[in-house]
Structure formats: structure tokens, C-alpha cells
Amino acid sequence: MSINWILLIIGGIFETGFAISLGKAQHASGKEFWLWLISFAVCVCISMFLLFKAMGGDKAIPVGTAYAVWGAIGAVGTVLMGILSFKEPVTFWRMFFLSTLVISVIGLQVVSAD
């Protein structure tokens, strides 16, 4: 696995961070609200920078693949954190389609390998 894939995975994790920060900000007020918004801004900046870095250099990941994988990592992470943090429902169909998303991301990585 190249450094670009590692950067992309970390960027996807920070995408989860910015989505969860927005969700937490919706349920906060006062100082806590502003801390969640700062968390959102920091996570967005880091996530976007890592996506940018993953698409450049010697082992650049094609933009379509990078964006799809980055978004999927963020989506899967956000669903899982939503279940843990916001007590969102765990249903068969949610988990089924989440699984197909993971399988698709793995497939993209395999077909995009050097």
C-alpha cells in the first residue's frame, strides 16, 4: 500500500470527524457549540489536504477513485459513529448496503493498484 493510499484513508477518517462534529454541534450550545464548529473546521481542512496530497506525487491516485474512496470511508465512518454516538438504528438493510459500499471501495483499490 503506497503512502497515497494511507493519506487517503486518514483523510477519510477526518471526513468522518467533520460530519460527526456537525452532528454534535446541532445538539450543543454556548462554548460547546463553538468547540464543535472549530473541530469541524479543523477536520475539513485536514481531510481536504490529505485528499489533495493523495491525488498527487509519484503514486498519484486517480481523482475519480480517490474521491470515491475518500467519500466512502467518510460515509462508512459516519454511519458507524452515528450508531455509536447518536443511537441511530442498526437495521439489516443499513448494514447490508454499508457492506456493499465497503466491498466497492476494496474493489476500487484493487483495480487501481499499480
Side-chain angles (χ1 to χ4, degrees), residues 15-25 36 77-79 81-82 85-86:
E15 186 188 0
T16 298
F18 77 69
I20 294 302
S21 294
L22 282 180
K24 290 289 193 177
W36 282 115
T78 302
V79 169
M81 288 303 295
S85 296
F86 300 110

Side-chain angles (χ1 to χ4, degrees), residues 54-65:
M55 293 188 299
D58 293 336
K59 304 242 182 204
I61 301 170
V63 65
T65 301

Side-chain angles (χ1 to χ4, degrees), residues 42-95:
V42 169
C43 287
V44 164
C45 290
I46 293 170
S47 181
M48 293 292 176
F49 177 74
L50 292 173
L51 174 62
F52 168 78
K53 293 299 281 183
M55 293 188 299
D58 293 336
K59 304 242 182 204
I61 301 170
V63 65
T65 301
Y67 186 77
V69 171
W70 174 81
I73 292 168
V76 169
T78 302
V79 169
L80 295 176
M81 288 303 295
I83 290 167
L84 297 172
S85 296
F86 300 110
K87 308 293 187 235
E88 292 178 357
V90 179
T91 65
F92 170 79
W93 288 113
R94 280 187 93 192
M95 295 302 105

